[in-house]
Amino acid sequence: MWTYLVRLILRNRLGNLIIILLLTGVMAYLASSVKISYTMARMLPESDSTSIEYEQFKERFGQDGSVMYIGIKEDEIYELDKFNAWFDLSYKIREIKGIEEVLSLTKIYYLKENDSLEKIDFFPVLTHRPETQEEVDSIAIVIKNLPFYENFLYNKETNATLMLITLDQEILNSKSRVQLIEDIKSVTEEFKGKFDSEIYYSGLPYIRTVTAKTLQEELLFFVYLAAAIAAVILFIFFRSIRAVIFPMLIMGMTVIWVLGSISLFGYEITILTSILPPLIIVIVVENCIFLLNKYYDEYRTHKNKVKALSRMVQRIGTANLLTNATTAAGFAAFTITGNQILTEFGIIASINILVAFVLTLILIPIFFSYLPAPKPRHTKHLEKGL
């Protein structure tokens, strides 16, 4: 089988290379539209009793992850200038596109029973921006007589107060949420000097956005780091630039396939699938080291490049296939857990490990068949046991 495969690879080098490049181009196009997940990962199966109760809760009370909080610990919040600053901040944030509502000490409501219509009406406590300290003092008395807001919007013991910002759910589930959170922080920072307290941010939208942004930055960081380490290892092993450049090209192609397959299956990059590109790079390096080591060793023995490439595939192909297949099978086991995030990870990981094996097995012989024969200095150190 391996003899036939070697002939198929080497006799149709250009055709195989064009097909792989075209497929990689398709995957690159799909990868360009891959999205980062901005929602909380589902850790329990949909059939789990806790998940069912959670979904019923959301149906009755609405989404739980659309409120962002801004907090300060201000002893003199009812002082005119500071109270008006909090007032201005509340209404300026409300004007940002994507904000549905803002609730704060300067933008709260009281309830009044409507006997004629048999319902409860909502009325704002503040109808205009206070102009005197006396107005603020009277407003403070009204607020303190509304016990519903105590320990919810303010804590009279610690003098902490919150601003609750309800965000548009559609924007929260898209990449536009990053800009929305940045807009809120930008507006808030303009008022930073008007308070003695540090300004704090919290809430699921804020936490998820920060996590997603960190995920994106760390994904790129670890891909570059893994690629750099791989390049150093390959150069140390083979003392050849060509033994670094062409495996690096294969690494780049496999990363494209990983991102493209995520988009192809309709998945998003999650905290688990984000580790796949560096993982695939490591697997490609391992495959390349085994293949190139055998190629240089064979060439050093008989000085026949074609024969060395042929024996490289025949004698290392089986070992690499078994190694990659068992690794892929191990990751594929995650697909039966019933956990959505693990299932997605298992599918993408198992498929791309096999893709990495195929790309390495085909491209290494093709690339090195077009290159000049190895120089003695590239194989001399292998005699020492590498």
Side-chain angles (χ1 to χ4, degrees):
M1 181 188 76
W2 293 109
T3 302
Y4 173 77
L5 185 60
V6 169
R7 291 174 182 173
L8 184 64
I9 293 173
L10 295 180
R11 290 181 180 179
N12 304 279
R13 294 176 298 174
L14 184 60
N16 291 331
L17 185 59
I18 291 174
I19 291 173
I20 291 176
L21 291 177
L22 288 175
L23 291 175
T24 303
V26 173
M27 299 306 287
Y29 173 76
L30 293 173
S32 65
S33 60
V34 70
K35 299 178 181 179
I36 295 178
S37 176
Y38 291 99
T39 58
M40 189 71 74
R42 181 189 293 274
M43 300 306 296
L44 295 175
E46 294 183 3
S47 58
D48 187 85
S49 59
T50 302
S51 292
I52 295 174
E53 291 176 2
Y54 176 63
E55 292 299 325
Q56 291 174 346
F57 175 87
K58 289 199 296 183
E59 289 179 5
R60 182 173 182 180
F61 298 101
Q63 293 290 334
D64 63 330
S66 59
V67 180
M68 176 178 170
Y69 305 94
I70 298 177
I72 59 173
K73 187 177 179 183
E74 187 63 57
D75 295 336
E76 305 295 337
I77 189 62
Y78 292 111
E79 191 268 327
L80 179 62
D81 291 339
K82 294 178 181 178
F83 190 83
N84 280 341
W86 197 241
F87 179 95
D88 294 339
L89 176 60
S90 301
Y91 280 87
K92 194 165 184 179
I93 289 178
R94 181 64 183 85
E95 294 174 358
I96 298 175
K97 183 180 179 181
I99 304 299
E100 292 187 345
E101 190 53 84
V102 174
L103 188 67
S104 70
L105 288 180
T106 59
K107 198 174 187 302
I108 60 175
Y109 302 85
Y110 67 92
L111 308 180
K112 187 175 181 180
E113 185 177 0
N114 189 326
D115 295 329
S116 61
L117 298 178
E118 296 183 350
K119 68 174 186 177
I120 302 295
D121 292 329
F122 292 81
F123 296 95
V125 173
L126 281 79
T127 57
H128 63 278
R129 190 175 187 268
E131 297 180 355
T132 64
Q133 183 62 48
E134 288 74 17
E135 284 187 76
V136 175
D137 293 338
S138 62
I139 291 170
I141 293 173
V142 174
I143 293 174
K144 292 176 182 178
N145 287 328
L146 296 173
F148 173 77
Y149 295 109
E150 186 176 346
N151 296 323
F152 175 57
L153 279 183
Y154 68 93
N155 186 315
K156 63 182 181 181
E157 295 181 359
T158 62
N159 294 318
T161 182
L162 288 178
M163 182 183 298
L164 283 65
I165 307 169
T166 305
L167 311 181
D168 184 275
Q169 193 66 39
E170 185 176 345
I171 293 179
L172 281 179
N173 293 331
S174 69
K175 63 179 181 181
S176 300
R177 70 182 296 160
V178 177
Q179 185 59 49
L180 178 58
I181 298 298
E182 290 297 328
D183 289 342
I184 294 173
K185 290 186 65 176
S186 177
V187 170
T188 305
E189 290 300 314
E190 295 177 9
F191 290 82
K192 188 173 183 180
K194 298 183 179 181
F195 304 105
D196 297 330
S197 167
E198 184 72 27
I199 298 178
Y200 302 93
Y201 304 93
S202 188
L204 283 178
Y206 177 76
I207 295 172
R208 291 175 182 175
T209 301
V210 171
T211 302
K213 188 175 181 180
T214 303
L215 184 67
Q216 182 178 11
E217 293 172 352
E218 290 187 350
L219 171 61
L220 295 174
F221 172 75
F222 283 111
V223 166
Y224 293 145
L225 182 62
I229 295 174
V232 171
I233 291 174
L234 287 169
F235 185 78
I236 292 174
F237 276 17
F238 300 109
R239 316 287 174 82
S240 170
I241 296 298
R242 70 181 67 169
V244 176
I245 293 176
F246 292 101
M248 293 293 289
L249 290 175
I250 299 174
M251 291 177 207
M253 295 171 69
T254 52
V255 170
I256 291 173
W257 277 75
V258 170
L259 299 178
S261 60
I262 293 175
S263 178
L264 180 64
F265 280 88
Y267 300 152
E268 296 178 339
I269 297 177
T270 64
I271 194 170
L272 271 183
T273 52
S274 66
I275 69 174
L276 284 177
L279 174 65
I280 293 298
I281 287 176
V282 172
I283 292 174
V284 170
V285 170
E286 179 186 13
N287 292 341
C288 289
I289 288 175
F290 286 140
L291 290 170
L292 291 177
N293 188 59
K294 185 61 179 176
Y295 168 62
Y296 284 129
D297 184 59
E298 286 290 335
Y299 183 81
R300 178 173 51 85
T301 302
H302 46 69
K303 301 296 187 295
N304 186 319
K305 185 177 72 172
V306 175
K307 186 177 180 180
L309 291 172
S310 177
R311 288 189 175 180
M312 173 190 73
V313 175
Q314 293 176 26
R315 299 182 179 181
I316 301 300
T318 301
N320 271 6
L321 174 61
L322 293 176
T323 301
N324 286 265
T326 52
T327 304
F331 284 110
F334 287 122
T335 60
I336 62 174
T337 60
N339 184 309
Q340 181 181 352
I341 189 173
L342 287 177
T343 299
E344 293 177 5
F345 175 76
I347 292 173
I348 300 300
S350 57
I351 290 175
N352 283 281
I353 288 171
L354 296 178
V355 168
F357 163 73
V358 173
L359 291 180
T360 308
L361 190 69
I362 295 176
L363 291 178
I364 286 294
I366 291 176
F367 286 152
F368 281 81
S369 67
Y370 285 112
L371 295 174
K375 296 181 181 180
R377 64 186 179 86
H378 294 156
T379 59
K380 185 177 179 180
H381 69 284
L382 294 175
E383 298 177 3
K384 299 180 181 180
L386 286 177

